[in-house]
Amino acid sequence: MTSPLVKIESHPQSAKRLIGINYEQFMTLVMLAEQRHNQKQTEIQKNKVRLIAPGGGRKSEMSPKEGVCLCLVYLRQKPTFDILGLLFDISKTKANDAFNYWVKILREILPASQMEEVKKDSHKYQELRKIMGLQYLLC
């Protein structure tokens, strides 16, 4: 079974169909996610109590590009984690863990809508609704 990432890299025009964004947007998103991932790993390493020398231990099974692709495939296609694991040649547990890790990073990178940002604060929510209502009337 061909991995969705391999399919996207060999046929960039199919990216929109598979993950919902075009290839250039995907590569930009991967670059931003990789930067945020590296920042998080640096923060973790600063606070980590080391038992093994830096650089030792098991290497990650997924690259940032594969992690972002896995996350986008899941959000676009909604397969079970069993199927997602088969697509990316990992276990369903690792697919679930990878999805949850990368979706947190994507949430930090991608801007939330204004409604999501203020929905917990009822005063700001009402103000935004008034502004949006006025903008709708002016258009």
Side-chain angles (χ1 to χ4, degrees), residues 95-106:
N96 187 357
D97 293 345
F99 170 75
N100 288 318
Y101 176 78
W102 287 103
V103 80
K104 286 178 187 174
I105 288 181
L106 292 178

Side-chain angles (χ1 to χ4, degrees), residues 31-42:
M31 182 187 67
L32 293 171
E34 191 169 6
Q35 288 174 354
R36 182 64 187 128
H37 168 70
N38 290 337
Q39 289 172 353
K40 285 182 93 169
Q41 292 304 313
T42 303

Side-chain angles (χ1 to χ4, degrees), residues 24-117:
E24 291 78 25
Q25 292 170 330
F26 172 67
M27 293 309 294
T28 303
L29 187 60
V30 166
M31 182 187 67
L32 293 171
E34 191 169 6
Q35 288 174 354
R36 182 64 187 128
H37 168 70
N38 290 337
Q39 289 172 353
K40 285 182 93 169
Q41 292 304 313
T42 303
E43 291 170 10
I44 290 170
Q45 293 300 325
K46 285 180 184 176
N47 300 326
K48 189 173 185 177
V49 176
R50 301 216 55 94
L51 298 176
I52 300 173
R58 190 173 191 176
K59 301 298 178 207
S60 176
E61 290 185 17
M62 295 188 86
S63 68
K65 187 185 278 189
E66 289 174 318
V68 171
C69 185
L70 179 141
C71 190
L72 293 175
V73 166
Y74 180 79
L75 292 172
R76 174 78 172 180
Q77 307 292 337
K78 298 287 188 199
T80 62
F81 286 108
D82 287 326
I83 301 298
L84 197 62
L86 287 173
L87 288 172
F88 286 89
D89 197 29
I90 56 176
S91 70
K92 69 177 183 178
T93 304
K94 288 185 181 180
N96 187 357
D97 293 345
F99 170 75
N100 288 318
Y101 176 78
W102 287 103
V103 80
K104 286 178 187 174
I105 288 181
L106 292 178
R107 281 185 186 151
E108 293 172 8
I109 294 170
L110 299 173
S113 72
Q114 288 181 337
M115 293 297 275
E116 287 180 16
E117 290 178 5

